[in-house]
């Protein structure tokens, strides 16, 4: 029995609200239950220095968490002086996930920066961030299309993410904070709208797990990501 | 004529939504028009090192802005490596404003940290932050009272803030971004519920101004803060 | 009765010694009683990146304090790794004050950097710094005029500053450290030679104060700044 | 055909030289072909602050690369001022991998720090680091047993790691730098001596991949890790 | 012929003004010609953490330079974020020089921090700093004696320093900036009042030099330090 | 009697192994007994910004130490956030030593960066680093000659270094860690192949020493460096 009474293969209630920012070219507030992430896409007419003159664009992501998004207040990273290893890991993951579905040469020499800021955290912030980031990115590219800056096929596919884990011996989908803290194994999956795998990360928290267990996690992920992709499609249509 | 068509002594539409955070002891989302600030109050059973053993508490504030809260995306301060001078100035101001209405010895050896994070900016973020911070602080102290941690009179008064400025030669209340960028003089006032002055800051942006002008700004501020204080009272009652 | 036996409207003994640096284009050592600030003006044939190509110059200021300028030795800011919020607040204030009296387009694409280093501190370091900085700036511009780099009217006016406060219930001018530490309210005023207000900052240290009190502080400031402006004029003539 | 002429399921030549450090409690120099990593284990009679008084030990890892370990010289991270996201990701991975096979309560309130420094890089530095780190850790624990500091069963299992990838459409084992740069998908597997999965990381570099491909990568990994585990056993016996 | 017309073995005009700081326990302003260094000694009733409980004191030094002490304005080190290698080298040198003549156990568990801040630079700032630092240290210990905190023989000897160099082929004493910039070899000597060598540093700037040249530099240094030691004695008597 | 049983004028066993890096243009692993330093030379087709357009090259050095090179594990400098004063002192020394024997204009607008990384430390790391750095530099220039990038006479001479000290009253050559920790005086000498002095550094650790003692240290240094220079010659021939 999950603490949230959900079935093993049941996502939390997911909602995506578009166009929540007055300024950003694309934006949404995505909620995976009590995990709330604000995603904005910012278009810049420049690329990173190492990409100059290569006739391709770039998509990058940054991730942050408000100090009291969590149960105990955390120090701001600016006070510490640099982004934590966890933050860097997550923003690199989000960036890779998005670039997997963007045709960078067709973007032109421009950069889209996706900011994923966790307003409230209850587990699964990185998977909510990726899922919402795609919506913000989509709307930013839509904004560009309306201005004839890019052609139709810059965005090649959808991308979404979900976590799965082994909790009290059972494989469960979309862990909340309580489950995440007590899980024997924890994994994150990023997949495209057409079902391709973009990123797989599985970690044994207490003891090593078997390939059978891992296969169960992947099955759950496929089901969950299928539902998230359907919601994304509905949201932007 | 103001760009927003407001009268010179007219605030933007102000709203305060309480209890927006699942985790924080007190919180609100305050809106001064398109300026949106999330304020959370976090109670910690410790004081800063320099205050230990003095039988008094502390109230402090931190201020942040999401990268795309503004019209052009700004670099995260953590990327720069330290808080900007502007950020530090603002968080020191918020902290002083709140401490002016708290009876620190009655708080006991505890710290309340107020985080003011600008979700969307359109001028006046520091004054919205102070006004909302008081509500979050109030609710945090209420939370403590319900648990018999403090007595009734820890919070001695309300405190709120507003900006005023000289715009195209006229004194106007509560500047939005467009006015702020073009103002000849810019000022921020922090006052208590009973009308006392906590903080006055006036700056000539283009040319020096006269005492007469400054007196007009202060009159506007009194009116505006009166309205904000009334809304705070309504919100927490 | 003030600890220094001064009358409420009496400045400390003020002196300004010009040309104290072998290297700087303009310099002075200003003393407000036991507060001693070395001000140097450095001319650079470049402007900040964001001002390039705009046919205007820039005046900026930096502020520092020797570690044993104060009663207790303070850590060097370089050891901490960044300028404190207080330092940044002060150097932004000095820069704004000076720019209010300089015709930046007439300066040409050049920057004048004013360094204000507190050799010894006894309250009022920022006001002494502003008052001395103007003298260093004046002499730097004089140096440029002698070399036909600028015309006569780059410097539009004088600018000087003084602190006032409420000490044991009375409004007093030019607080020294002892008064500053015990004041109920503390304020800094920056005004031009012609009496215009450039900057007003008032802070309640213990309880909120009334507008009447604030008006008294402003009256004292006008008197004090009048005397400082007269001394500046004498010094550079 | 692989650039190195290896079979798809063939590791590079792997060697492990123990006791290469005069000072460290455990150490080895591990070579995966031209990738050379120096691993040292340092015993410290303290635990991190957050673990104090919990009657358990800790195993942590740090990862570094000499500036000219790579084909082009890289800036030292100390010059940049902080560890890169990549470095942090890798050292967190090594630490988790090792802790998965250590009985931390049986270690006592002590910390073992494993330093993995890449002397020369040719792809697969993190997997070589994990495989060598286990040997250094083993020898450190051996050192402790000889001094009766711990019992026999602190180290519960072996742990080793290998990379696999899709290169020109084929699944291959243990990518060198040339393959790594051109791979369509890149993955790292960490497994125990008894075949349990500790960590799985798979990333699509160009296009998303299928579950079938991923299963092939995992099969290769099992084979490769089996061989590495056998070599570890031989080395420490 | 030296640019300054001095004889090869002639110091610049040296002066030492004691008690220049209202706050410091010992202080002086030392001038080696146009090189002016403010030295303050600050007594603290604590020792560095690594020296606690060892019944000995510590003497340390910090070195700084005002931004416009030099011909071209330099960036503040706090802006760069850390002390330069040169600054650290010099402050370590000053600290070692002073500790060579202090009986640290007799100082008790206290630290004396000497701050040497260069107000104006014209070559030889580190040697002026050491020579002046001894006077500040002496006066601080005198201050302690007057309060019966230490006995007579804490300070075992004097210490002073001077630079020598090979300039246009000739060995010269006490280089100013012009000579320093053009010297073939540059050296700094630190010696005690009784003639012992505390520190010798010689560097070839253009080509390697012979032992004969080095011996000449040392002879000049002995003569110069003899004169500086005599002036110190006169100053503190 | 020296702890290592060596004669006062006896070097430790010294070995130099060339071409130890697959990537670097020049490299060696130098051992002074148990002190092992890996030296690599990296050629870059650029010069530091301040040297641009001056038709000369640059040679620079960086120095690092693996965390467990020493008896007690040290924190990585990247964790501290910046290079220590000691590290900076040493890398500046190595750079100066090498530049003393390179004809920089003949190098062309290129930079050679020498990295000296201490794999294992037992005293004398900086002198081993300089001696090995010359070999790496030599081989890098050889690499350039083979590609007709420079002419024969870029490298004007050899350069090597050794430490000497006063240990239990006697002058001894090439101190190991035990001697270094207990020495009364410690010195480092850098000399060219033709016997010229490039750098002399002598420090009294406990009491000041006499010129006679210093002369003895220099004699030992000459002998030791003579042997090191002979070994360098043999190595690169």
């Amino acid at each position: 029995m999950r603490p949230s009474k959900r079935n093993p293969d049941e996502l939390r209630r997911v909602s995506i609200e578009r166009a929540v920012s007055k300024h950003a070219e694309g934006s949404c507030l995505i909620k995976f239950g009590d995990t709330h992430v604000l995603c904005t896409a910012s278009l810049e007419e420049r690329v990173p220095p190492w990409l100059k003159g290569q006739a391709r664009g770039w998509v990058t992501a940054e991730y942050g968490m408000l100090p009291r998004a969590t149960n105990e207040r955390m120090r701001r990273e600016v006070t510490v002086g640099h982004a934590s290893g966890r933050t860097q890991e997550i923003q690199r993951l989000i960036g890779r996930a998005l670039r997997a579905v963007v045709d960078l040469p067709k973007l032109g020499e421009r950069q889209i920066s996706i900011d994923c800021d966790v307003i409230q955290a209850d587990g699964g912030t990185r998977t909510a961030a990726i899922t919402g980031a795609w919506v913000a990115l989509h709307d930013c590219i839509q904004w560009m299309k309306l201005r004839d800056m890019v052609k139709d096929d810059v965005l090649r596919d959808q991308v979404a993410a979900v976590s799965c884990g082994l909790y009290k011996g059972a494989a469960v989908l979309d862990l909340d904070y309580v489950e995440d803290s007590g899980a024997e194994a924890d994994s994150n999956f990023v997949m495209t709208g057409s079902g391709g795998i973009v990123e797989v990360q599985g970690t044994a928290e207490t003891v090593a797990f078997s390939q059978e267990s891992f296969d169960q996690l992947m099955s759950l992920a496929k089901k969950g990501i299928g539902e998230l992709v359907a919601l994304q499609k509905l949201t932007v249509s």
Side-chain angles (χ1 to χ4, degrees), chain A:
Chain A
M1 178 63 94
R2 306 178 70 174
S4 61
K5 320 285 183 202
R6 281 185 283 151
N7 292 327
D9 66 349
E10 189 182 344
L11 293 173
R12 287 174 282 181
R13 203 178 109 67
V14 178
S15 71
I16 307 175
E17 183 186 354
R18 278 165 90 191
V20 295
S21 158
K22 173 191 169 80
H23 301 297
E25 283 76 28
S27 68
C28 76
L29 176 65
I30 188 163
K31 300 186 180 177
F32 275 28
D34 281 333
T35 289
H36 303 175
V37 185
L38 183 64
C39 305
T40 58
S42 298
L43 175 66
E44 292 165 297
E45 289 288 332
R46 55 173 197 83
V47 286
W50 50 268
L51 203 62
K52 270 186 193 160
Q54 299 186 31
R56 359 179 8 225
W58 193 242
V59 175
T60 187
E62 294 192 5
Y63 170 94
M65 211 183 250
L66 297 192
R68 195 58 196 279
T70 45
N71 191 39
E72 308 237 326
R73 185 179 184 274
M74 296 176 312
R75 283 176 77 194
R76 281 175 198 265
E77 297 201 324
V78 66
T79 310
V80 181
H82 54 85
S84 70
R86 179 184 173 278
T87 291
Q88 294 191 53
E89 231 174 276
I90 295 175
Q91 56 199 16
R92 283 153 57 92
L93 172 65
I94 303 171
R96 283 198 307 270
L98 296 173
R99 287 191 297 273
V101 295
V102 174
D103 189 324
L104 294 173
K106 288 191 178 150
L107 191 57
E109 286 217 9
R110 297 176 182 111
Q111 174 168 292
I112 300 177
S113 296
I114 309 291
D115 287 287
C116 299
D117 285 274
V118 180
I119 304 297
Q120 189 172 277
D122 186 35
T125 62
R126 82 188 69 187
T127 53
I130 290 169
T131 308
W134 182 84
V135 174
L137 175 63
H138 171 277
D139 286 4
C140 178
I141 290 174
Q142 204 64 29
W143 187 95
M144 294 168 78
K145 282 185 195 164
L146 288 174
R147 284 155 185 79
D148 283 326
M149 298 168 74
V150 290
K151 296 275 171 56
D152 254 9
D153 44 3
V154 174
L155 198 58
R156 297 188 303 210
D157 202 343
Q158 291 174 243
V159 69
V162 80
S163 73
C164 304
L166 297 175
Y167 180 74
K168 303 202 171 169
V172 295
L173 178 67
D174 187 23
L175 286 70
D176 58 27
Y177 179 75
V178 171
E179 287 174 324
D180 195 35
S181 312
E184 294 97 52
D186 180 22
S187 62
N188 292 292
F189 293 84
V190 183
M191 297 183 187
T192 61
S194 47
I197 302 173
V198 170
E199 193 93 23
V200 173
Q201 294 182 337
T203 303
E205 296 290 339
T206 50
V207 292
F209 53 86
S210 65
Q211 187 169 354
E212 292 66 43
S213 294
F214 187 73
D215 289 345
Q216 287 174 30
L217 299 178
M218 195 178 285
S219 295
L220 285 176
K222 278 184 185 171
K223 177 178 180 295
I225 289 176
E227 293 172 28
L228 293 169
V229 161
L231 178 61
Q232 284 178 334
K233 190 169 290 179
L234 200 70
T235 301
V236 303
S237 66

